[in-house]
C-alpha cells in the first residue's frame, strides 16, 4: 500500500521513479503489454520510467522533494508519437517538452546520486514487448506501426517504487497540481 511522501523511511532497496498516466492510457498500455509481453516476465504494469536507480537510503529526501515539485507541475499532455523497435521488443514513444524539462530539473537536483543510466537524456517510452526473439519483435513492430495513428495521453503525477529483484513495491504517489 502506498504511503504518504512525508512518511517515507530510508530503504535498503534502490528506488525507481515513474510517470503516472491517466486511467484510460494506463488501461490501454496494460492491455497491450498483457497481450505481447512474455507472460513469465510480465509482472509489472505498463510504465514510463524516469529514473531507474535512486538511492533507497535517500527515500525521505526524495519524497519530500517530489512533494514540492508536483505542487508546481501541471498535468502533462503527452503525444504518443510512434513506435520504437528495441531489437528484442517494441515500445511507444512519448513527446512532451515539459516532461523533458522536469526530468532535467530532477537530474540537476539529484546529480550526486545518479547512475550513468540515469544521467542520460530522457527518451520517454512505454515498453509493451521485451526480451523476445528479434523476429517476433520485428513482426509486432511492423503490425503496430501499420495500424498506428498518433494519440494523446496525460501524465498525472509521479510514482516512487522500491525495486526488490522482481515486482516493484509502490511506495508513494505524487499527483500533479492541476490543469495544463
Amino acid at each position: 500500500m502506498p504511503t504518504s511522501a512525508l512518511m517515507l523511511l530510508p530503504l535498503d532497496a534502490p528506488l525507481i521513479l515513474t510517470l503516472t498516466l491517466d486511467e484510460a492510457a494506463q488501461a490501454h498500455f496494460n492491455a497491450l503489454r498483457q497481450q505481447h509481453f512474455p507472460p513469465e516476465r510480465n509482472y509489472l504494469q505498463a510504465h514510463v520510467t524516469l529514473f531507474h536507480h535512486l538511492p533507497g537510503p535517500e527515500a525521505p529526501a526524495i519524497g519530500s522533494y517530489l512533494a514540492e515539485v508536483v505542487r508546481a507541475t501541471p498535468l502533462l499532455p503527452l503525444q504518443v508519437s510512434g513506435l520504437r523497435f528495441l531489437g528484442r521488443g517494441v515500445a511507444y514513444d512519448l513527446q512532451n517538452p515539459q516532461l523533458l524539462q522536469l526530468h532535467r530539473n530532477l537530474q540537476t537536483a539529484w546529480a550526486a546520486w545518479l547512475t550513468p543510466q540515469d544521467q542520460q537524456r530522457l527518451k520517454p517510452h512505454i515498453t509493451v514487448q521485451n526480451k523476445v526473439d528479434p523476429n517476433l519483435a520485428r513482426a509486432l513492430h511492423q503490425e503496430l506501426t501499420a495500424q498506428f495513428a498518433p494519440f494523446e495521453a496525460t501524465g498525472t503525477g509521479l510514482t516512487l517504487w522500491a525495486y526488490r529483484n522482481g515486482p516493484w513495491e509502490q511506495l508513494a504517489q505524487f499527483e500533479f497540481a492541476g490543469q495544463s
Side-chain angles (χ1 to χ4, degrees):
M1 185 72 164
T3 186
S4 163
L6 301 176
M7 296 171 40
L8 286 175
L9 298 173
L11 298 172
D12 58 0
L15 306 176
I16 299 168
L17 184 65
T18 61
L19 179 68
T20 310
L21 299 173
D22 67 272
E23 288 182 26
Q26 187 67 54
H28 173 74
F29 289 114
N30 281 345
L32 286 167
R33 189 173 169 102
Q34 190 70 30
Q35 184 178 359
H36 300 294
F37 215 90
E40 68 279 2
R41 295 179 180 272
N42 192 23
Y43 45 79
L44 299 174
Q45 293 192 16
H47 55 278
V48 181
T49 304
L50 301 179
F51 291 91
H52 298 83
H53 194 281
L54 296 169
E58 300 297 337
I62 290 168
S64 293
Y65 188 69
L66 291 173
E68 289 178 34
V69 166
V70 296
R71 282 196 294 270
T73 306
L75 298 175
L76 298 176
L78 305 168
Q79 182 70 25
V80 183
S81 59
L83 287 122
R84 183 185 311 176
F85 177 63
L86 302 174
R88 296 179 63 84
V90 178
Y92 283 79
D93 283 319
L94 304 175
Q95 305 292 323
N96 177 286
Q98 293 83 15
L99 176 59
L100 298 179
Q101 184 61 54
L102 171 63
H103 185 262
R104 285 191 297 270
N105 293 347
L106 293 172
Q107 283 178 312
T108 299
W110 298 334
W113 298 336
L114 298 182
T115 64
Q117 182 179 24
D118 285 336
Q119 292 171 15
Q120 295 177 12
R121 183 175 64 88
L122 180 66
K123 297 176 185 172
H125 64 279
I126 300 171
T127 303
V128 296
Q129 181 189 62
N130 205 5
K131 298 181 173 71
V132 300
D133 180 270
N135 292 325
L136 185 60
R138 187 171 287 104
L140 179 62
H141 181 261
Q142 290 171 350
E143 174 189 335
L144 294 176
T145 298
Q147 55 188 264
F148 180 77
F151 62 98
E152 289 192 4
T154 303
T156 61
L158 303 171
T159 304
L160 190 64
W161 307 83
Y163 176 70
R164 301 190 188 278
N165 298 318
W168 301 352
E169 175 189 348
Q170 185 176 328
L171 300 175
Q173 287 191 295
F174 305 87
E175 300 300 320
F176 291 145
Q179 299 303 313
S180 57

